[in-house]
């Protein structure tokens, strides 16, 4: 690419308006051309001035308060126990019922885990370490569900198993889905459940869901760049997973 | 050429203020310094997210998220160049546009009036002014309507050049030229970054 063309496209490059192929060519050119790279920074700075012209209302005071609360939690010298934390979360207002239900399930797990934890602490340090990281993971999951950037999709059981259900907690800013499914029938030998990102185009595979004996499953998946899901689905597929759904659909979300 | 009126205060911190804040932030993780930054720039971030998302509640989420990310990634930020507001603006725009692209809502309901505000926005606007607002508004007013439209569709709507060209019913080449000339024009009016910035060294 020549400098002329690069300069012509810089603005659209910075706003992310080029085609992927053009953007790749620009990347290449900018890596090798200090003059265009410098101009790119100027364009970025100019564009970053535009919002100064905007007008609007004051941001609500609750956002500042939420940040102040998070700062307090962030700087607390020793984190409160998970049980206290979980109770704290439960008693915050404006939590959805579904979240409450999930929290109770997680809380049960944490309480159980902690009892076990103290019983076996002396005997099994290695196991204690594993539990600690599990608790840490639970804490992170709770924090993610609690994030204002998280919305939910409800998974409804389809014809093969209407009593199955599930929930997707979708953290849009971290591009993460936490998926819980309940009452899935045990998959036949050689088969397993596969999760799908439904998009405006073809479904994109999101990983396997393995169930416990009760047919409950949990998975945390990252949404890859360039995938823009609108909904979720779970189908029964060969155990090693497939690239495009072939089997019966067990769960589908309605947003 | 559009030197802001001397009596109107700047929104941005001056070089010394910003340097002092950055050292309190990065050195001591000083929470009160963080809140000073929030109090100064939260409106900028909020108005930008609102403009892109056309929704107060989503803008609130972005606002909290951007500042929290800022706090969490302080140690990794290169904040010694008077670019605090640039960093926050760029982050807020990227987050908002990502959110918008995921939702794909706007494009499906896009109507012809680019400047129309969404129904979900609360109507009350503040009247307070500051130097940067006045100079950028003046600079934008100096562009032609078509330049402004193309720039707005790219920056605030996050559209591809193809989509901009379809929307404005103009060939792709024209759109590229128009964005380029709009940016040159803005830069000429606002001056190079070193001048528009309140940070002089
Ligand atoms: Zn070049």
């Amino acid at each position: 690419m020549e400098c002329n063309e690069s300069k012509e496209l810089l603005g659209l490059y910075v706003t992310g308006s080029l085609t992927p192929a053009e953007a790749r060519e620009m990347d290449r050119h900018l890596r090798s051309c200090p003059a265009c790279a410098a101009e790119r920074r100027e364009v970025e700075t100019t564009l970053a001035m535009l919002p100064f012209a905007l007008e609007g209302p004051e941001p609500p005071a609750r956002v500042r308060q939420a940040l102040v609360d998070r700062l307090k939690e962030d700087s607390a010298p020793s984190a409160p126990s998970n049980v206290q934390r979980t109770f704290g979360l439960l008693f915050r207002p404006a939590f959805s019922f579904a979240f409450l239900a999930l929290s109770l399930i997680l809380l049960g797990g944490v309480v159980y885990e902690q009892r076990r934890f103290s019983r076996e602490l002396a005997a099994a340090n290695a196991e204690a370490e594993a539990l600690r990281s599990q608790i840490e993971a639970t804490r992170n999951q709770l924090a993610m569900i609690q994030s204002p950037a998280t919305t939910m999709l409800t998974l409804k059981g389809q014809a093969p198993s209407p009593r199955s259900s599930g929930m997707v907690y979708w953290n849009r800013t971290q591009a993460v889905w936490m998926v819980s499914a309940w009452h899935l029938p045990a998959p036949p030998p050689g088969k397993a459940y596969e999760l799908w990102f439904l998009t405006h185009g073809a479904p994109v595979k999101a990983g396997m869901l393995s169930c416990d004996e009760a047919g409950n499953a949990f998975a945390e998946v990252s949404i890859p760049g360039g995938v823009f899901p609108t909904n979720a689905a779970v189908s029964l597929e060969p155990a090693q997973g497939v690239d495009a759904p072939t089997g019966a659909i067990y769960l589908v979300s309605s947003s | 050429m559009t030197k802001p009126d001397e009596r109107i205060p700047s929104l941005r911190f001056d070089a010394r203020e910003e340097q002092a804040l950055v050292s309190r932030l990065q050195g001591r993780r000083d929470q009160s310094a963080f809140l000073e930054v929030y109090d100064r720039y939260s409106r900028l971030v909020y108005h930008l997210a609102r403009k892109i998302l056309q929704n107060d509640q989503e803008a609130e989420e972005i606002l909290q998220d951007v500042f929290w990310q800022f706090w969490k990634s302080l140690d990794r930020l290169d904040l010694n160049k008077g670019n605090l507001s640039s960093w926050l603006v760029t982050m807020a725009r990227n987050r908002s546009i990502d959110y918008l692209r995921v939702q794909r809502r706007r494009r499906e309901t896009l109507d012809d009036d680019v400047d129309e505000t969404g129904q979900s926005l609360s109507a009350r606007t503040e009247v307070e002014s500051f130097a940067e607002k006045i100079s950028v508004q003046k600079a934008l007013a100096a562009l032609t309507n078509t330049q402004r439209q193309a720039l707005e569709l790219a920056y605030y709507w996050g559209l591809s050049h193809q989509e901009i060209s379809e929307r404005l019913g103009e060939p792709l080449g024209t759109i590229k030229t128009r964005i380029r000339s709009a940016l040159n024009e803005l830069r000429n009016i606002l001056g190079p970054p070193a001048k528009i910035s309140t940070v002089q060294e």
Side-chain angles (χ1 to χ4, degrees), chain A residues 80-98:
Chain A
S81 81
N82 290 283
V83 177
Q84 281 164 357
R85 272 181 71 93
T86 310
F87 271 116
L89 289 173
L90 285 174
F91 288 108
R92 275 183 207 179
F95 270 25
S96 74
F97 192 72

Side-chain angles (χ1 to χ4, degrees), chain A residues 2-3 6-7 29 33 35-36:
Chain A
E2 302 278 317
C3 285
S6 149
K7 288 192 169 142
H29 183 78
C33 177
C36 286

Side-chain angles (χ1 to χ4, degrees), chain B residues 44-55 59 62 96:
Chain B
L44 182 66
V45 168
Y46 182 59
H47 294 169
L48 172 57
R50 243 175 128 250
K51 168 81 176 174
I52 294 172
L53 294 162
Q54 298 286 306
N55 180 300
I62 298 286
S96 305

Side-chain angles (χ1 to χ4, degrees), chain A residues 7 11 15 17 22 42 49 52-53 56-57 59-60 62 64 70-71 74-75 148 172-173 200, chain B residues 31 39 43 47 50 60-61 64-65 68 71-72 93 95 104 124 126 133 137 159 161 180 183 187:
Chain A
K7 288 192 169 142
T15 59
S17 305
E22 287 170 325
E42 282 190 34
M49 287 299 290
F52 281 95
R62 60 180 166 266
R64 192 180 193 281
R70 290 173 87 171
L71 285 174
D74 203 42
S75 65
R172 291 174 191 272
T173 51
H200 283 292
Chain B
Q31 299 190 350
D39 290 338
R43 275 180 301 175
H47 294 169
R50 243 175 128 250
E60 243 179 77
E61 289 173 10
Q64 187 181 153
D65 185 57
W68 191 246
W71 174 252
K72 288 312 239 182
R93 181 195 178 256
R95 290 281 165 135
R104 300 220 158 188
R124 193 173 56 85
E126 37 130 353
K133 183 194 281 184
Q137 282 179 346
L159 298 190
H161 55 36
R180 169 100 208 262
L183 281 168
R187 204 157 22 146

Side-chain angles (χ1 to χ4, degrees), chain A residues 61-79:
Chain A
R62 60 180 166 266
V63 179
R64 192 180 193 281
Q65 189 53 51
L67 285 166
V68 168
D69 291 344
R70 290 173 87 171
L71 285 174
K72 269 185 212 142
E73 225 169 293
D74 203 42
S75 65
S78 62

